Amino acid sequence: MTANIRNFCIIAHIDHGKSTLADRLLEHTGTVMNRDKKEQMLDDLELEQQRGITIKARAVRMRYKQDGQEYELNLIDTPGHVDFQYEVSRSLACCEGALLLVDAFQGVEAQTVANAFAAMEHELHIVPVINKIDLSMARPEEVAEEMMNALGTDPDDCVRVSAKTGIGVDELLKTIVAKIPAPSGDPDATLQAMVFDSNYDDYRGAITYVRVMQGTVRKGQKIQFIRTGSQHEVVELGQFVPQREPCDTLSAGQVGYLICNIKSLGDVHIGDTVSITGDKHAPALPGYSRPKRMVYCGLFPSDGQDFSELRDALERLAVNDPSFEFEPETSDALGFGFRCGFLGLLHMEIIQQRLENESNIDLVQTAPNVTYEVVNKRGETVTIHKPQDVPDPGDIEEFRQPIVRCNVIVPGDYIGAVMKLCQERRGIQKNQEYLGANRAMLTYDIPLAEVVYDLHDKIKSCTRGYGTLDYEMVGYEPADLCRMDIMVNGNRVDALSIVCNRADADRRGRAVAKKLKAEIERHMFEVAVQAAIGSRVIARETVPAMRKNVTAKCYGGDITRKRKLLQKQKEGKKRMKAIGNVEISQKAFMAVLSDG
Ligand code: GDP
Ligand code: MG
């Protein structure tokens, strides 16, 4: 049974043709008919197409006939961004092989290397594939050699294809069958399946993606998730072809989905193990870890009425993406909202965009921050998820921030630029090593706050996209940090507090004060906008008092016009928040928060 199954993924640097190749494979195996094929079948989330990256892992089953035998090919799609490393590793753990796809013109790039190493760590069989051989500028010989130098693949093993025209795709399918090992596993053993993804369907609840390692799961069976201990009945199971196709059983080696009427977001954890209920269940599969939220921000509806709608939307997202978490938060400035935890910056942007696309709530987002630790004067260590919780300077014994170890893989020409950037971001160099003739790996310890701020984007731009960044948590270290507050007529605006290095406080304080001043409308009195550390003011801007009465220009004659104007003012007020006696529009907060 398992002898005819092949489970594999495609790993590639962005734009090397992963999605296009997936489409061609679906087409050549007849999984998708030409007439109803849609460009980039696998990236069906609109957002993914917008960003051109694959955010969530997916799986598609193809049937492929060769020499009178029918094979089941499962293509598992993996996310490609550092924020989702954990999900990548869970997807790789479901495969026996990987197609390592490299653009015949661009050659080996940093993400190729990072992903190839991850696949090798999982002991996957690597099929080297050179794509875009239809391009007149293609240089497949050289690229095959680069692949050999960087990754140790044999140039003779490289399959040359054009995902665009379809050249070489048949040969690639033959190679997949011939070279990628069939899964091992006993369909009669105790059920043991790995959860490698999940998403949420409004009608069916959580859809759990699994790879069965041992045993068989059947429709109607009672199962349990080993890590959480929760138990459920399997009401439907099947495979993606690419739409859902129900079946009666999934056995060792197969990849598919389970539907168990799971409405609770906490029940499906990526990396968890599915087994039978009772004491005789299979052991949990290794490699499970709880997602680490590295970045936090506050999300508030601009209209307070939308609070429960926002909560529902966040709950839906959390089912779809268990690595995202949220809890209610109250802000003087922004009202009722949620403090949300993310894996990283990109993850945060994605959640925000999904919220906007999938619900109609207007959102205000506070500047992102990392988690800090403060040791207070009583010697207690306090963990801090939001800047306004940082105690006053007099009560701080030690202020600690998370440090991450960053590996940056870059072509030789860009080493200098990356080193300069990492130093500017308070990085401490730990290592430098050549991976190939023209490819180096730089290792730095850098404060996570600096990485979160924009390091990834900056590395991309200073290496023309060739540099990749990977990081892991090292721990918390003391630093000269402070909480900077923004005061409006002497009242602190909680949503605008930030944690920053003391050396940067003056510059950042001036920038925020200036920006906020420009956004505050004139009042009958003067409004002072200040930036302060504790009681020490470091920047001040003043909004002058207003003189004219708004209704004065109505000349008293046109009463309906006057009423309309007053009505309009009243509506405008709904979107205003009072800070002391000063009214600040939602728009002003947004303008200030939008660039940290
Ligand atoms: P992904 O980011 O790896 O998923 O890459 P895509 O599949 O989105 O492809 C990136 C770009 O390369 C698209 O514009 C594709 O049309 C193009 N492309 C993909 N494969 C080929 C190919 O074999 N030949 C040519 N000429 N273009 C290709
Ligand atoms: Mg793609």
Side-chain angles (χ1 to χ4, degrees):
M1 177 67 192
T2 60
N4 287 9
I5 300 176
R6 300 291 181 274
N7 297 316
F8 65 99
C9 56
I10 305 174
I11 54 187
H13 193 83
I14 190 140
D15 283 343
H16 281 201
K18 179 165 107 168
S19 303
T20 312
L21 181 63
D23 286 349
R24 279 308 83 69
L25 291 173
L26 295 186
E27 216 177 279
H28 279 245
T29 54
T31 312
V32 178
M33 293 302 139
N34 237 322
R35 73 188 141 77
D36 58 22
K37 88 162 198 265
K38 188 178 98 200
E39 281 294 300
Q40 308 208 339
M41 291 293 317
L42 291 179
D43 295 5
D44 58 8
L45 271 167
E46 200 183 328
L47 184 68
E48 292 188 6
Q49 285 178 348
Q50 281 169 16
R51 291 184 164 270
I53 50 171
T54 304
I55 294 159
K56 298 287 289 178
R58 262 127 226 280
V60 181
R61 188 210 67 205
M62 298 170 271
R63 291 204 191 284
Y64 171 61
K65 284 205 184 68
Q66 189 196 308
D67 302 331
Q69 293 263 21
E70 190 179 86
Y71 293 90
E72 173 177 329
L73 309 183
N74 292 304
L75 170 56
I76 294 164
D77 202 12
T78 59
H81 189 274
V82 288
D83 283 2
F84 305 100
Q85 272 316 310
Y86 174 62
E87 292 180 28
V88 173
S89 93
R90 293 306 82 205
S91 304
L92 293 177
C94 295
C95 302
E96 279 73 37
L99 309 185
L100 178 62
L101 189 70
V102 178
D103 184 314
F105 171 62
Q106 302 288 346
V108 172
E109 287 177 10
Q111 225 172 305
T112 323
V113 178
N115 288 330
F117 285 164
M120 289 170 186
E121 259 170 45
H122 282 87
E123 298 182 346
L124 302 195
H125 180 90
I126 308 277
V127 177
V129 184
I130 298 178
N131 185 32
K132 310 198 188 183
I133 57 164
D134 61 293
L135 290 174
S136 60
M137 289 182 303
R139 41 183 195 97
E141 309 301 326
E142 283 165 60
V143 169
E145 205 177 305
E146 276 178 38
M147 289 171 83
M148 178 177 70
N149 290 334
L151 308 162
T153 54
D154 185 340
D156 292 335
D157 288 344
C158 287
V159 184
R160 292 158 193 215
V161 304
S162 165
K164 188 171 169 187
T165 66
I167 308 170
V169 172
D170 285 324
E171 192 201 331
L172 179 58
L173 282 163
K174 288 197 180 105
T175 309
I176 290 168
V177 167
K179 295 283 175 65
I180 295 178
S184 57
D186 175 1
D188 298 321
T190 306
L191 174 64
Q192 186 189 42
M194 183 164 75
V195 177
F196 66 94
D197 198 5
S198 67
N199 59 32
Y200 195 77
D201 182 284
D202 281 340
Y203 304 103
R204 310 301 306 271
I207 314 272
T208 308
Y209 290 58
V210 293
R211 153 74 198 264
V212 183
M213 298 303 189
Q214 298 288 347
T216 299
V217 56
R218 294 184 171 77
K219 189 176 169 179
Q221 181 182 354
K222 270 221 139 183
I223 52 123
Q224 71 166 319
F225 291 104
I226 303 294
R227 301 277 174 182
T228 61
S230 65
Q231 307 199 349
H232 306 274
E233 186 187 320
V234 178
V235 297
E236 183 184 315
L237 76 175
Q239 294 184 305
F240 297 94
V241 295
Q243 71 282 9
R244 288 203 300 268
E245 184 183 86
C247 60
D248 293 328
T249 61
L250 286 173
S251 292
Q254 287 190 296
V255 175
Y257 68 89
L258 307 178
I259 294 178
C260 309
N261 278 333
I262 300 175
K263 300 285 180 219
S264 148
L265 38 132
D267 275 353
V268 184
H269 290 219
I270 291 179
D272 203 347
T273 304
V274 177
S275 192
I276 55 170
T277 55
D279 300 337
K280 297 211 184 85
H281 65 75
L285 291 157
Y288 176 80
S289 82
R290 291 191 160 275
K292 280 191 220 108
R293 286 105 197 169
M294 309 285 253
V295 178
Y296 284 80
C297 80
L299 287 180
F300 296 83
S302 14
D303 187 344
Q305 305 249 294
D306 291 339
F307 177 79
S308 59
E309 208 180 312
L310 176 59
R311 189 189 49 218
D312 292 349
L314 290 173
E315 265 167 17
R316 274 200 304 278
L317 281 174
V319 175
N320 209 341
D321 179 357
S323 48
F324 159 66
E325 73 173 3
F326 64 99
E327 59 179 45
E329 177 181 12
T330 319
S331 154
D332 298 339
L334 302 170
F336 294 102
F338 298 91
R339 178 120 296 242
C340 304
F342 308 91
L343 298 174
L345 261 198
L346 180 86
H347 186 215
M348 182 178 82
E349 278 175 40
I350 289 163
I351 293 278
Q352 228 181 303
Q353 282 205 20
R354 281 197 186 161
L355 271 176
E356 276 165 22
N357 293 352
E358 291 168 21
S359 61
N360 266 324
I361 310 165
D362 223 16
L363 287 175
V364 183
Q365 187 216 306
T366 64
N369 65 272
V370 301
T371 305
Y372 294 94
E373 281 181 3
V374 166
V375 182
N376 64 24
K377 291 287 187 201
R378 276 150 290 147
E380 299 156 347
T381 304
V382 192
T383 302
I384 288 176
H385 291 309
K386 51 183 186 213
Q388 59 265 44
D389 289 350
V390 173
D392 287 326
D395 195 28
I396 299 177
E397 189 60 46
E398 191 169 84
F399 208 147
R400 299 182 190 142
Q401 64 176 341
I403 304 292
V404 289
R405 179 148 304 164
C406 299
N407 282 326
V408 188
I409 299 178
V410 282
D413 304 348
Y414 302 105
I415 294 177
V418 170
M419 286 174 68
K420 182 164 173 285
L421 181 64
C422 291
Q423 266 150 27
E424 280 166 13
R425 297 306 155 90
R426 301 187 163 85
I428 294 168
Q429 189 168 7
K430 292 287 166 182
N431 197 19
Q432 173 173 351
E433 163 184 1
Y434 277 86
L435 299 178
N438 189 30
R439 192 158 297 275
M441 182 159 83
L442 304 172
T443 307
Y444 275 85
D445 281 0
I446 305 181
L448 178 61
E450 305 277 352
V451 176
V452 156
Y453 192 54
D454 65 354
L455 189 67
H456 196 246
D457 289 347
K458 281 277 152 52
I459 283 180
K460 284 280 171 213
S461 61
C462 85
T463 62
R464 297 207 286 142
Y466 295 147
T468 52
L469 167 69
D470 220 330
Y471 54 73
E472 59 183 2
M473 186 72 178
V474 175
Y476 285 81
E477 284 179 15
D480 191 14
L481 302 169
C482 62
R483 183 192 84 214
M484 187 186 72
D485 298 323
I486 298 298
M487 324 278 280
V488 172
N489 273 4
N491 295 295
R492 179 172 126 179
V493 186
D494 56 9
L496 298 184
S497 294
I498 58 167
V499 171
C500 64
N501 264 78
R502 207 172 293 274
D504 297 340
D506 282 9
R507 181 178 52 80
R508 292 189 67 178
R510 271 197 304 275
V512 177
K514 231 193 181 97
K515 199 145 190 201
L516 188 57
K517 176 205 165 181
E519 295 289 336
I520 293 180
E521 279 171 29
R522 290 186 177 202
H523 283 61
M524 303 304 287
F525 45 84
E526 206 177 80
V527 176
V529 178
Q530 297 166 310
I533 299 173
S535 54
R536 191 168 64 84
V537 172
I538 55 173
R540 181 190 161 112
E541 296 283 338
T542 307
V543 184
M546 161 174 81
R547 266 170 254 122
K548 262 187 287 170
N549 184 334
V550 200
T551 53
K553 59 178 165 231
C554 292
Y555 312 116
D558 185 350
I559 187 73
T560 41
R561 218 181 127 211
K562 195 165 174 176
R563 217 181 267 144
K564 254 192 205 145
L565 196 59
L566 286 170
Q567 181 61 31
K568 224 165 140 194
Q569 255 190 324
K570 223 163 115 196
E571 276 166 16
K573 282 235 172 72
K574 270 201 243 154
R575 299 253 158 153
M576 304 293 268
K577 304 284 173 184
I579 302 297
N581 56 355
V582 181
E583 301 223 303
I584 301 180
S585 71
Q586 206 82 79
K587 193 181 134 269
F589 286 116
M590 268 144 77
V592 177
L593 292 170
S594 62
D595 50 19

